[in-house]
């Protein structure tokens, strides 16, 4: 099957923010659009709201006046489901309750033709379970748009266990014809984005709960070192703590309370106290008028070392060697089979975050992973209580000499960016191995759905296939809960890479 012809009528059931957005997308793509809502009068209000947004598109010169008028003429609210009888596609965007959605689609089957494509925009429920109530479940798919639907390009096209390939293909091609970037995925908890993204929030919260760093510092490190557009605390304040926690709980429950997806107690307390983020005025941050935004911890200026000794090539941090030389600091290189560290003149060592704590070693400062060490504006350092002040000062001064702000955090294994990226890679590799989606679609979904600077598989290739496994394996030794145990898929991923490189 190919994409729906633009002349084919499309229906949207549920006219909240998401429903209106989906209707606008289909309307601008040229389809006649029917709007239905169970609450009397809401479909008409939604049509008026969409018309107002079309007016704004004309003002911004994204639509002509003639195109707007033609789109308005194609938009029609209806008062009964029977008004959707001639539609070729019905997209549902109603309350996230399984019984409500099943009841709706059973009613729709009595109205539309047997070849009408039925789609749910659910973000947290099983597509298979919703479709299980249908007489013809093969024509049922998930079309998961991201909010705001007219602006964000990604659409997850989700095939339930009974979905016919032909109908999944039609949904995929239709989304593409609407100007979206579709990705195909199997029906799994969280689909691609909400499954793979959980560690971005979870690890930030875990670092905070362990008193490793405050929210402002963690957010700054994720942005300024990790390259993420927003930190986890500010992003969940924007999303809504209740919404974000609800998705986390849904994924956790759906995976039979898998410890890798365990929700955050600190976030639970926020929700219980009504501190839901921007919409309530307070969340992790105070968003009330006049409130001051807390500043991240930034170390005071320190003297850089006269030289450093590079033992090994520093692996993913190899770019630092050129930056150190450019800053006028001598680099003395020594070949070491297992060397991935910098040694300061006093003997203290700087080691890239590897999942171990500094307290395990004598006089070690760990530094965090950066997306791009040249472009990074902040670097996090961690050390044990017994690390010498001279080593901490030398490490701080070294990175400051490279033009970086330095945030010193607690002795957190894996630090902030490194543990987050490693866990994201693990869940992505595991999803691919289990047939949830292809590597390309996982990377596309995470770049477009949550604005990650790199797709997880792309990040893994850049860091080396064994990097995430090694870091998580070390973390697992520190925390035996199973939260950081590398997946079998990641183990195979790392081992296969070693075999290709001729190691044993």
């Amino acid at each position: 099957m190919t994409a729906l012809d633009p002349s084919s009528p499309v229906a949207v059931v549920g006219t909240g923010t998401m429903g209106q957005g989906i209707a606008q997308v289909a309307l601008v793509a040229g389809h006649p659009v029917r709007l239905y809502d169970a609450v009397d009068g809401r479909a008409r209000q939604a049509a008026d709201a969409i018309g107002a947004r079309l007016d704004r598109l004309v003002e911004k010169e994204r639509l002509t006046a003639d195109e707007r008028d033609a789109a308005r003429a194609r938009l029609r609210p209806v008062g009964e489901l029977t008004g959707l009888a001639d539609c070729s596609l019905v997209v549902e965007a109603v309350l996230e309750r399984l019984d409500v959605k099943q009841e709706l689609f059973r009613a729709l089957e009595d109205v539309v033709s047997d070849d009408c494509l039925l789609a749910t925009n659910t973000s947290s429920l099983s597509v298979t379970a919703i479709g299980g109530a249908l007489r013809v479940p093969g024509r049922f798919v998930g079309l998961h748009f991201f909010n705001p639907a007219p602006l964000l390009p990604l659409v997850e096209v989700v095939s339930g266990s009974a979905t016919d390939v032909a109908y999944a293909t039609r949904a995929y091609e239709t989304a593409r014809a609407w100007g979206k970037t579709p990705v195909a995925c199997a029906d799994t908890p969280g689909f691609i984005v909400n499954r793979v993204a959980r560690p971005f929030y979870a690890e930030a919260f875990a670092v905070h709960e362990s008193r490793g760093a405050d929210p402002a510092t963690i957010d700054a490190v994720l942005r300024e070192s990790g390259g993420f557009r927003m930190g986890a605390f500010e992003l969940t304040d924007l999303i809504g703590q209740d919404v974000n926690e609800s998705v986390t709980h849904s994924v956790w429950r759906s995976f039979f309370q898998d410890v890798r997806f365990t929700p955050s107690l600190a976030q639970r307390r926020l929700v219980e106290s009504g501190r839901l983020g921007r919409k309530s005025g307070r969340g992790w941050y105070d968003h009330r008028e006049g409130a001051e935004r807390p500043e991240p911890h930034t170390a005071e200026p320190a003297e850089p070392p006269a030289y450093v000794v590079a033992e090994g090539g520093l692996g993913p941090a190899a770019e630092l060697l050129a930056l150190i030389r450019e800053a006028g600091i001598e680099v003395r290189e020594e070949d070491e089979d297992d060397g991935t560290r910098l040694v300061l003149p006093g003997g203290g060592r700087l080691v890239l975050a590897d999942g171990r704590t500094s307290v395990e070693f004598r006089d070690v400062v760990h530094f965090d992973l950066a997306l791009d060490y040249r472009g990074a504006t902040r670097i996090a350092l961690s050390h044990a209580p017994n690390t010498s002040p001279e080593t901490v000062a030398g490490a701080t001064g070294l990175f400051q000499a490279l033009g970086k702000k330095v945030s010193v955090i607690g002795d957190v294994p894996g630090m902030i960016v490194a543990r987050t990226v490693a866990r994201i890679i693990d869940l992505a590799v595991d999803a691919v191995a289990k047939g949830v989606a292809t590597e390309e679609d996982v990377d596309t979904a995470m770049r477009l759905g949550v604005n990650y600077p790199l797709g997880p598989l792309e990040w893994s290739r850049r860091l080396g296939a064994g990097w995430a496994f090694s870091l998580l394996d070390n973390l697992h030794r520190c925390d035996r809960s199973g939260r950081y145990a590398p997946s079998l898929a990641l183990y195979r991923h790392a081992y296969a890479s070693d075999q290709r490189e001729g190691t044993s």
Side-chain angles (χ1 to χ4, degrees), residues 167-184:
Y167 282 99
T169 301
R170 169 160 286 181
Y172 184 97
E173 294 299 335
T174 297
R176 185 157 63 178
W178 290 358
K180 297 301 181 182
T181 303
V183 293

Side-chain angles (χ1 to χ4, degrees), residues 79-410:
E80 302 291 339
L81 284 179
T82 52
L84 312 180
D86 65 338
C87 291
S88 299
L89 166 64
V90 180
V91 183
E92 162 273 315
V94 303
L95 187 66
E96 282 286 272
R97 274 181 45 186
L98 179 61
D99 59 336
V100 172
K101 293 179 187 291
Q102 288 179 329
E103 182 180 353
L104 169 64
F105 282 110
R106 278 195 294 261
L108 281 168
E109 275 202 309
D110 292 335
V111 172
V112 300
S113 64
D114 281 355
D115 65 348
C116 174
L117 179 61
L118 299 178
T120 174
N121 183 61
T122 185
S123 62
S124 60
L125 299 176
S126 164
V127 171
T128 300
I130 300 170
L134 299 181
R135 175 172 47 83
V136 187
R139 44 84 172 267
F140 185 74
V141 300
L143 274 179
H144 182 214
F145 288 78
F146 289 74
N147 198 25
L151 297 180
L152 294 186
L154 184 69
V155 177
E156 291 178 315
V157 181
V158 186
S159 293
S161 296
T163 302
D164 188 288
V165 172
Y167 282 99
T169 301
R170 169 160 286 181
Y172 184 97
E173 294 299 335
T174 297
R176 185 157 63 178
W178 290 358
K180 297 301 181 182
T181 303
V183 293
C185 63
D187 183 22
T188 186
F191 309 142
I192 300 172
V193 173
N194 280 329
R195 172 178 176 153
V196 177
R198 294 347 291 165
F200 179 73
Y201 313 108
E203 294 313 307
F205 298 163
V207 171
H208 173 55
E209 289 178 32
S210 68
R211 305 188 71 174
D214 61 278
T217 299
I218 296 168
D219 278 354
V221 172
L222 286 168
R223 288 193 314 270
E224 300 170 37
S225 183
F228 293 97
R229 186 168 296 185
M230 298 180 74
F233 297 91
E234 56 190 343
L235 180 55
T236 52
D237 266 3
L238 178 63
I239 294 169
Q241 298 302 330
D242 52 341
V243 174
N244 181 261
E245 190 203 31
S246 176
V247 174
T248 299
H249 269 270
S250 176
V251 173
W252 176 61
R253 287 192 302 267
S254 298
F255 277 112
F256 308 106
Q257 301 185 359
D258 186 329
V259 69
R260 295 177 301 165
F261 301 101
T262 299
S264 161
L265 180 59
Q267 187 179 41
R268 175 91 292 261
R269 293 292 179 257
L270 277 186
V271 174
E272 289 174 338
S273 66
R275 296 172 61 177
L276 307 181
R278 289 182 180 273
K279 62 185 177 183
S280 69
R282 297 184 71 188
W284 294 110
Y285 299 108
D286 191 340
H287 301 281
R288 294 172 296 183
E289 186 175 354
E292 292 187 11
R293 181 69 175 263
E295 292 294 325
H297 168 76
T298 302
E300 294 295 324
E303 286 295 319
Y307 67 89
V308 294
V309 178
E311 295 183 346
L314 294 190
E319 188 177 23
L320 282 175
L321 297 180
L323 298 180
I324 293 169
R325 291 188 177 98
E326 290 169 17
I329 298 172
E330 181 186 358
V331 177
R332 303 173 183 176
E333 296 191 57
E334 292 185 2
D335 290 333
E336 293 284 342
D337 289 341
D338 63 345
T340 53
R341 53 188 169 263
L342 296 170
V343 182
L344 298 173
R349 291 170 292 165
L350 275 69
V351 180
L352 176 62
D354 60 2
R356 295 180 290 183
T357 61
S358 295
V359 76
E360 299 175 53
F361 306 97
R362 184 180 64 82
D363 214 18
V364 163
V365 171
H366 280 103
F367 62 93
D368 208 351
L369 181 70
L371 171 70
D372 167 16
Y373 282 99
R374 184 174 293 276
T377 58
R378 183 179 298 270
I379 295 294
L381 304 179
S382 70
H383 64 87
N386 61 351
T387 302
S388 72
E390 293 77 15
T391 296
V392 177
T396 300
L398 174 64
F399 282 102
Q400 289 173 338
L402 308 186
K404 318 300 181 187
K405 295 177 182 177
V406 173
S407 291
V408 181
I409 69 171

Side-chain angles (χ1 to χ4, degrees), residues 384-471:
N386 61 351
T387 302
S388 72
E390 293 77 15
T391 296
V392 177
T396 300
L398 174 64
F399 282 102
Q400 289 173 338
L402 308 186
K404 318 300 181 187
K405 295 177 182 177
V406 173
S407 291
V408 181
I409 69 171
D411 189 13
V412 178
M415 301 193 68
I416 298 171
V417 179
R419 70 195 286 172
T420 299
V421 171
R423 287 209 59 217
I424 288 170
I425 289 172
D426 186 28
L427 292 188
V429 170
D430 188 52
V432 171
K434 291 178 177 173
V436 173
T438 65
E439 288 191 9
E440 181 181 2
D441 278 355
V442 169
D443 278 352
T444 298
M446 301 313 292
R447 285 197 310 270
L448 299 183
V450 277
N451 291 309
Y452 283 4
L454 293 174
L457 284 308
E458 183 183 2
W459 225 326
S460 179
R461 288 189 291 272
R462 176 186 286 197
L463 295 169
W467 177 84
F469 176 83
S470 177
L471 186 142

